[in-house]
Amino acid sequence: MIKGVIKLGYIGKSVIRKDAFEKVTGEAKYTNDYQEMGTLHAKMMISPLAHANIVSMDFSEAWKIPGVKAILGNEPYPLVGEEIKDRSPIAYKRVRYHGEPVAVVVAETPMIAKRGVDAIKVSYEPLPVVNSPRDGLQKDAPLIHENLESYEKQEGVYPNPNTNIANLNKIRKGNIEKGFMESDVVAEFSVSFHPSDHAAMETRGTIAEIRPDGTIIFTASTQAPFAIKKIMKWYFGIEPGKVIVNTPFVGGAYGGKASVQLEIIAYLASKAVGGKPVKLVNTREEDIITSSVHIGLDATVKLGATKDGMLKFAEIQFLFDGGAYSDKAVDISRAGAVDCTGPYQIDNIWCNSFCIYTNHPYAGAYRGYSHSEVLFAFERTMDVLAEKLSMDPLELRYKNAIRPGNTTPTQVLLNSSKVGNLHQCIKRLKVLMNWDEGQIIAMDDRKIRAKGACCVWKTSTFDTDASSGVILTFNSDGSINLMSGVVEIGTGTKTVLAQILAERMKMDINNIHVKMLVDTQTTPEHWKTVGSRGTFMAGRAVLKAADDAIRQLKDRAACILRVPVKDLEVGYGKVYFVDSPQINVDIKDLAYGYKFPNGHTIGGQIIASGTYTLTRLTYLDPETGKGNPGPEWTVAAQGIEVELDTRDYTYKILKAYSVIDIGKVVNEKAALGQVMGAMSMGIAFGGREEFVFDEFGRVLNPQLRTYRPLRYGEHPEYIIDFVETPHLAAPYGARGVGEHGLLGMPAALGNCLSAALGVQLNHLPLIPEQIWRMSGGGKNAAV
Amino acid sequence: MSSDPILSLLFLVNSEEKTVTVRPADTLLYILRVRLGLTGSKPGCLNGDCGACTVLVDGTPMKSCLMLAVEGEGKQITTIEGLVNTPIQKAFIEKFAFQCGYCTSGFLMNCHALVNIEPNASDEKIKDWLESNICRCTGYKEIEEAVKSVLNTAEGKH
Ligand code: FES
Ligand code: FES
């Protein structure tokens, strides 16, 4: 019989990744691995100052170097910016952050280009800097964008001209006064941290060329190849059909490759040399400060609760450090408003989320899109409140945990599909952490073991018309090529798509060939590979395309087998009659048109397609924030356990915990990998990573030896568990999970160390010296 | 073109003899990638911090961004393209020890040498070796499992 030939049940299995063999043999190609003869090389000159007027530029010595083909700079290019056009792709007359591109040399080799840059003479006149968002709001603060009023901008962005406010989003839910009256206890807490970096191992890079017919071709390390087409239209008026973006494997992204920057510079450089291909790749230092960074934040949270711990109001102010240009920062501050609280039912919420211009490198998306930042502020305040209430912090969270029937800050009414089961996550976390043994356990007179926990949630805030498409083409052996616009940034999403397809087609996953490269001319669009929505959106598109393929196969088989379509099934490499499966035809004989013995043929190659568009999303009301921003909220409870030396404040993270309502585990090892990786990043963000600025706003640590991600051996034991409450609109109920492991790590670490020391820690990163200072260290020291 | 002197040198890369023209200032990484097209070795920082460029020179892991090409003359150089069906590659696949894959070549070269040189490596020893490479995607647990599964000391190894 037919069944049993192929082992099915791909959903939930740790299927080997489709990119595995290429990646362990060095064959996987990334942008910088493409090197064609005749490609020219661009090199940026970057600003050594954070804020200055450019008084003069002299290119004459650089032009004398043989092999230099073009020098760009010192001219007014069209302004760019995704939400507000406030940035010159190459600075013109003024620099606003340390690392900003001021000139670009195009030459025959990278070495000549570098030599060209070294020969350029620039003289600057330094200007006073805005070195934090709080400084940016001061009355006498230097204005970073005097022309804010005249900049072109997108709908839904609310800058405040003649200030450094790039955007303000408001949340007004319920009545904050009423909430205050109902509260017995109020806790107010402020936190802050500097911007930091994504530190993807592959630095950003792009190759651009302009063909004789005007078609612009990019090879780019990006999460948003399709967005580049739209952006070229908005910035330069180029028709989307004239732009082709090729995106091979991407070597880590974490949001940092959703910004579009080098593509524009490379395009201008190519234009300057008559359309020849030009390659521009960041050095590590440029990647850290010149391209978009992880946003910083200054936040104040005020919470009120009844004596028995029921939350009554939340009053919140966020000052996001958007950096010198608004780019995605404006949208990040908006996302921060959308989920401005932790995952709790709160009737009365007031939030002002500001995006402030500073003289820091500009912010782009970062895994979690404002959530780990906002949650650090909120979840630290929850622990402060718990202490005031003399209540167990997890008990406080459990009492208020969001549930179906509650509403979010933007007043979305939740049901069990739209939100996961947070109560279940908290219960499970308490067991895993052995929470009831107490938060602090003394080990000896110096060392203690301490635990801290928090809760998180996140939805995505995509464009309301964001969509994803999939094309399936059949081969004559019955195997299927799967094309999706999802970029393989490391998440393994395309393997998950193959699992979904194999399950639906009841076929061997080895007969599914996934195209890893995205080519916007032939690959169907996937809005952007961001926000943990690949499996949901592209997965839905796969299911639709599979149904299309099944319909085509059945139509064709119906003619041949003379069986009504309704009585046919597809699976196990065949189309068969449900009543008697021995009446069947092989898919391989149908896939390229069925040929009768006399030569007559029915149909040609089967090509199937499907798209999925997010449904019923709305814009946010400008006054109240009311609106539906995303399809569902993934919730989780997380914790950290450290061993702390109370004498010198050094600590080791022993265990890190995540209990996430994932909806459905589709590929277990891939999911665990995503969660562990995100936790590792979150631990580094909370515990050690930040830009160190001097008083002039310069970044003092733009190298991987001074800016230190976690290294092997510094990782804790990860303890991860999943709850499965299906998101009904998603394939097999799976919820977004790529970011969630990160979200609570900084807050959990802060809560843990605060409990251990009896001091409310409010500044990241939590390095021993900072902890010592926040604990009052150094205050009385002799000068 | 540049006025640097150009040397013609003989390299032994992945057991094949290659004659390559190099400038004295070229790094081994540059020559491998640009002159020989062996792009499996990755640039991540070009100053020794990340390990993505790790290759084996006479069996010892070296950061090829820190070594001048001229120093590699006459030495046995092994890049990721020279590793075929080794136990560590299989282990990386089975344990999901990569995500984006960018750090993977460097880690594999380092792990492969570790397995050869220190087959009984302790936890401390493994840390000593592997902390020279950065992986930003995984939580290192998967890499730890992969490397331990091919060491003699592997727990539960059969
Ligand atoms: S590129 Fe060689 S160590 Fe980073
Ligand atoms: S797999 Fe991406 S850096 Fe290691």
Side-chain angles (χ1 to χ4, degrees):
Chain A
M1 292 289 287
I2 294 176
K3 291 188 184 171
V5 185
I6 302 157
K7 274 235 310 275
L8 284 179
Y10 289 113
I11 302 301
K13 296 279 162 58
S14 298
V15 169
I16 295 294
R17 293 174 57 128
K18 287 278 181 187
D19 49 0
F21 293 94
E22 279 178 279
K23 285 184 173 172
V24 301
T25 53
E27 289 303 320
K29 291 261 182 297
Y30 302 79
T31 296
N32 194 14
D33 297 337
Y34 290 85
Q35 34 195 14
E36 258 178 55
M37 291 284 286
T39 300
L40 298 173
H41 297 267
K43 170 82 192 157
M44 294 182 282
M45 173 180 214
I46 61 175
S47 169
L49 301 176
H51 200 190
N53 286 320
I54 300 175
V55 181
S56 68
M57 295 189 89
D58 179 0
F59 297 157
S60 55
E61 289 304 311
W63 271 120
K64 289 183 191 153
I65 297 168
V68 167
K69 298 293 181 192
I71 303 177
L72 294 86
N74 205 16
E75 60 178 297
Y77 290 106
L79 293 178
V80 301
E82 288 204 25
E83 306 274 333
I84 305 173
K85 287 188 183 173
D86 57 9
R87 177 174 105 237
S88 178
I90 301 167
Y92 181 58
K93 293 198 187 296
R94 170 103 166 254
V95 288
R96 294 184 175 86
Y97 71 95
H98 176 208
E100 182 166 357
V102 294
V104 175
V105 175
V106 185
E108 280 168 3
T109 70
M111 295 69 131
I112 299 172
K114 166 88 168 61
R115 222 171 285 164
V117 164
D118 293 343
I120 294 176
K121 293 190 194 74
V122 185
S123 77
Y124 297 96
E125 173 196 35
L127 295 169
V129 298
V130 174
N131 216 353
S132 78
R134 221 165 263 285
D135 285 358
L137 282 184
Q138 297 302 316
K139 287 235 154 34
D140 55 348
L143 263 195
I144 299 177
H145 291 274
E146 293 83 353
N147 301 329
L148 186 52
E149 180 118 54
S150 66
Y151 291 150
E152 201 184 332
K153 63 181 180 62
Q154 302 274 20
E155 284 295 310
V157 186
Y158 310 106
N160 195 344
N162 301 312
T163 72
N164 288 316
I165 299 171
N167 189 36
L168 166 60
N169 274 105
K170 298 179 204 163
I171 297 291
R172 303 287 184 268
K173 177 187 171 188
N175 180 336
I176 198 83
E177 277 83 29
K178 180 165 167 279
F180 188 77
M181 297 305 291
E182 290 167 3
S183 300
D184 301 314
V185 177
V186 172
E188 183 171 343
F189 196 62
S190 296
V191 306
S192 65
F193 47 86
H194 287 162
S196 51
D197 193 41
H198 309 84
M201 284 302 100
E202 177 206 27
T203 62
R204 282 159 273 214
T206 271
I207 306 162
E209 74 175 290
I210 307 166
R211 307 294 301 167
D213 69 352
T215 305
I216 302 161
I217 303 178
F218 291 105
T219 301
S221 172
T222 177
Q223 292 170 264
F226 298 93
I228 292 173
K229 292 171 53 168
K230 282 175 214 151
I231 274 176
M232 291 298 284
K233 166 86 177 156
W234 200 44
Y235 294 170
F236 302 104
I238 292 160
E239 292 306 319
K242 283 285 192 190
V243 178
I244 299 171
V245 185
N246 296 306
T247 298
F249 283 115
V250 169
Y254 327 110
K257 289 171 181 167
S259 294
V260 180
Q261 178 197 30
L262 299 188
E263 293 81 1
I264 300 159
I265 298 175
Y267 159 69
L268 294 172
S270 174
K271 214 170 149 188
V273 291
K276 288 208 183 69
V278 174
K279 188 190 246 190
L280 174 60
V281 178
N282 274 346
T283 61
R284 174 55 60 188
E285 292 74 8
E286 290 160 352
D287 210 58
I288 290 179
I289 58 170
T290 299
S291 292
S292 67
V293 305
H294 171 202
I295 206 159
L297 176 68
D298 235 302
T300 302
V301 178
K302 195 167 163 186
L303 296 178
T306 60
K307 295 195 285 294
D308 51 358
M310 298 313 295
L311 289 172
K312 287 297 166 187
F313 79 92
E315 188 184 329
I316 300 164
Q317 176 176 271
F318 297 135
L319 305 179
F320 281 98
D321 185 345
Y325 299 102
S326 60
D327 203 57
K328 292 309 287 178
V330 166
D331 195 49
I332 297 166
S333 67
R334 186 185 300 138
V338 162
D339 288 336
C340 60
T341 67
Y344 310 107
Q345 166 58 19
I346 308 173
D347 287 332
N348 308 298
I349 303 174
W350 184 101
C351 170
N352 270 358
S353 182
F354 291 93
C355 180
I356 310 288
Y357 285 120
T358 66
N359 290 113
H360 290 164
Y362 70 92
Y366 172 85
R367 202 172 196 173
Y369 214 62
S370 80
H371 286 68
S372 63
E373 300 80 351
V374 161
L375 284 163
F376 175 67
F378 197 92
E379 290 295 286
R380 276 282 31 248
T381 312
M382 282 292 277
D383 265 32
V384 174
L385 178 66
E387 190 187 71
K388 282 200 155 181
L389 288 163
S390 306
M391 187 177 276
D392 176 88
L394 272 180
E395 178 64 26
L396 175 63
R397 288 178 170 83
Y398 189 84
K399 279 192 163 181
N400 293 285
I402 196 97
R403 62 167 84 235
N406 293 162
T407 57
T408 71
T410 66
Q411 305 177 46
V412 176
L413 177 63
L414 299 171
N415 59 32
S416 64
S417 173
K418 278 183 93 76
V419 70
N421 187 339
L422 182 59
H423 291 88
Q424 188 65 32
C425 294
I426 298 174
K427 271 198 233 160
R428 191 78 192 111
L429 182 75
K430 283 179 83 165
V431 173
L432 290 173
M433 291 186 79
N434 192 11
W435 187 259
D436 291 336
E437 76 174 330
Q439 266 189 281
I440 299 163
I441 297 114
M443 300 173 71
D444 55 37
D445 55 342
R446 273 176 66 174
K447 291 214 169 120
I448 54 175
R449 242 179 349 108
K451 299 174 193 178
C454 71
C455 294
V456 308
W457 66 345
K458 181 180 187 290
T459 190
S460 52
T461 44
F462 285 9
D463 285 358
T464 54
D465 58 354
S467 78
S468 183
V470 160
I471 296 175
L472 306 174
T473 60
F474 279 76
N475 298 304
S476 56
D477 57 2
S479 65
I480 302 179
N481 306 311
L482 191 167
M483 263 91 64
S484 149
V486 171
V487 177
E488 184 42 84
I489 54 177
T491 53
T493 305
K494 284 188 157 166
T495 305
V496 169
L497 297 183
Q499 289 178 261
I500 292 172
L501 181 62
E503 185 80 12
R504 184 64 144 228
M505 300 290 299
K506 301 197 197 84
M507 66 187 287
D508 185 346
I509 197 165
N510 293 314
N511 290 333
I512 294 172
H513 309 291
V514 179
K515 190 174 171 209
M516 292 292 168
L517 179 91
V518 170
D519 160 3
T520 60
Q521 196 177 27
T522 57
T523 315
E525 171 153 339
H526 177 76
W527 183 66
K528 291 179 186 178
T529 306
V530 298
S532 310
R533 290 283 178 233
T535 300
F536 173 37
M537 293 173 62
R540 281 290 299 262
V542 164
L543 289 175
K544 208 164 164 202
D547 289 344
D548 182 18
I550 289 169
R551 185 186 51 75
Q552 294 188 46
L553 287 166
K554 284 185 185 173
D555 279 353
R556 204 168 281 181
C559 296
I560 296 148
L561 300 175
R562 277 154 287 166
V563 169
V565 167
K566 271 172 65 185
D567 292 345
L568 290 172
E569 269 307 325
V570 172
Y572 316 99
K574 296 179 191 297
V575 183
Y576 58 92
F577 182 29
V578 277
D579 261 3
S580 16
Q582 67 275 21
I583 299 175
N584 65 55
V585 54
D586 283 348
I587 288 176
K588 70 172 164 39
D589 297 330
L590 294 172
Y592 259 56
Y594 184 84
K595 203 173 192 178
F596 288 96
N598 67 356
H600 292 174
T601 301
I602 306 179
Q605 182 188 18
I606 293 184
I607 299 172
S609 66
T611 60
Y612 179 76
T613 304
L614 290 176
T615 31
R616 298 190 65 95
L617 301 188
T618 63
Y619 298 118
L620 305 180
D621 182 272
E623 288 312 314
T624 65
K626 188 168 187 218
N628 184 21
E632 59 87 33
W633 277 257
T634 301
V635 294
Q638 299 186 292
I640 276 185
E641 183 173 334
V642 305
E643 184 184 297
L644 174 80
D645 186 326
T646 53
R647 201 167 68 177
D648 62 11
Y649 303 104
T650 57
Y651 61 92
K652 175 163 173 52
I653 299 178
L654 303 173
K655 292 176 186 170
Y657 302 83
S658 290
V659 183
I660 305 180
D661 191 337
I662 191 172
K664 172 82 192 166
V665 179
V666 181
N667 184 321
E668 192 186 11
K669 279 193 182 162
L672 287 172
Q674 282 299 298
V675 175
M676 282 190 277
M679 288 168 77
S680 160
M681 235 174 145
I683 286 168
F685 162 35
R688 57 208 300 177
E689 292 182 19
E690 70 164 340
F691 287 157
V692 179
F693 293 102
D694 69 6
E695 58 180 305
F696 306 110
R698 292 177 297 198
V699 180
L700 300 179
N701 57 337
Q703 287 191 319
L704 292 176
R705 61 185 58 179
T706 44
Y707 183 96
R708 294 193 72 253
L710 236 55
R711 285 178 185 263
Y712 183 96
E714 293 171 334
H715 58 292
E717 183 185 340
Y718 301 96
I719 297 156
I720 296 165
D721 203 3
F722 295 121
V723 172
E724 294 187 322
T725 311
H727 171 215
L728 299 177
Y732 305 99
R735 294 180 189 273
V737 80
E739 301 158 289
H740 300 74
L742 188 155
L743 303 183
M745 286 296 113
L749 181 62
N751 289 346
C752 171
L753 293 168
S754 296
L757 294 163
V759 178
Q760 298 297 355
L761 302 171
N762 62 354
H763 188 75
L764 296 177
L766 294 161
I767 53 174
E769 185 189 331
Q770 284 275 17
I771 302 173
W772 171 68
R773 275 185 209 291
M774 287 185 270
S775 307
K779 286 211 178 110
N780 306 317
V783 185
Chain B
M1 286 297 290
S2 88
S3 53
D4 287 329
I6 304 284
L7 314 168
S8 184
L9 302 178
L10 185 70
F11 290 94
L12 265 170
V13 182
N14 300 332
S15 313
E16 282 179 39
E17 290 191 356
K18 304 269 182 195
T19 306
V20 190
T21 53
V22 312
R23 298 178 319 137
D26 284 338
T27 62
L28 180 60
L29 178 65
Y30 182 79
I31 292 303
L32 290 171
R33 287 177 55 83
V34 178
R35 293 272 176 270
L36 296 173
L38 298 170
T39 55
S41 310
K42 301 295 185 211
C45 65
L46 301 184
N47 66 356
D49 294 335
C50 77
C53 62
T54 306
V55 300
L56 305 186
V57 178
D58 289 338
T60 305
M62 290 290 291
K63 289 170 175 169
S64 63
C65 71
L66 289 184
M67 186 169 159
L68 289 175
V70 292
E71 296 176 277
E73 190 185 16
K75 304 212 167 81
Q76 285 275 5
I77 294 159
T78 312
T79 69
I80 183 68
E81 289 86 353
L83 289 199
V84 182
N85 281 330
T86 60
I88 192 69
Q89 285 166 298
K90 290 200 195 107
F92 262 58
I93 293 177
E94 276 158 23
K95 305 290 182 192
F96 281 58
F98 63 88
Q99 288 176 28
C100 80
Y102 200 81
C103 71
T104 310
S105 311
F107 262 105
L108 281 169
M109 299 316 288
N110 203 355
C111 292
H112 182 70
L114 171 66
V115 172
N116 284 342
I117 296 170
E118 301 273 2
N120 302 311
S122 63
D123 278 2
E124 249 338 276
K125 184 68 83 186
I126 301 172
K127 180 171 185 294
D128 270 1
W129 276 62
L130 298 190
E131 68 185 1
S132 66
N133 296 49
I134 299 174
C135 175
R136 186 64 155 168
C137 293
T138 72
Y140 293 110
K141 162 98 177 300
E142 306 91 322
I143 295 175
E144 178 178 357
E145 284 178 1
V147 73
K148 285 187 174 169
S149 75
V150 293
L151 286 167
N152 286 340
T153 43
E155 301 131 25
K157 196 175 152 156
H158 32 258

